[in-house]
Amino acid sequence: GVEEFAVQAVMDYANYVSNDAPYGALDKYFPAGSELLTGIKKNQREWFDYHLTPEIKNQKMTSFTAFTEDAFSARVYLEQYMYVPFSKKTEMLVTDLDVYFVNQNGFWKIAGIAFE
């Protein structure tokens, strides 16, 4: 359902931001020509230290708001645990975002992300 979809979208987003997903990994989640997607792709991913593939844990939808049949928002929380060989430490990063979805031609797309 939409809960699994929203959680998966944010998991893929987190892995994209940490440079653990390919450049086009998020394309399917956004409407064609999305300025938000363009902005996300322009953001540098290189500031992350080299690390092994993160393990995502404790991912869950913490709130859900239906606006219409074709629009909802979901807040998704997750933790990424990534081992950084340079420091020999496992770093933990939290992603906790409100994401706005709209139904476009039968497919859920991300219309907005509330960056805090």
Side-chain angles (χ1 to χ4, degrees), residues 44-77:
Q44 295 303 308
R45 304 194 287 172
E46 288 79 49
W47 62 268
F48 275 86
D49 290 328
Y50 172 75
H51 57 270
L52 307 187
T53 302
E55 186 179 359
I56 292 180
K57 296 182 182 175
N58 301 317
Q59 64 272 28
K60 55 187 175 284
M61 185 169 74
T62 55
S63 71
F64 176 87
T65 306
F67 301 110
T68 67
E69 284 182 13
D70 292 320
F72 73 91
S73 73
R75 188 169 191 100
V76 176
Y77 173 91

Side-chain angles (χ1 to χ4, degrees), residues 2 5 10 14 16 19 24 28 30 35 38 41-42 47 58 70 73 78 81-82 92-93 100 113 115:
V2 292
F5 178 78
V10 176
Y16 179 84
N19 210 6
K28 65 184 176 188
F30 289 85
E35 289 184 21
T38 301
K41 285 181 158 187
K42 276 185 187 153
W47 62 268
N58 301 317
D70 292 320
S73 73
L78 62 82
Y81 292 84
M82 51 184 78
M92 193 269 277
L93 283 177
Y100 295 84
I113 300 174
F115 299 103

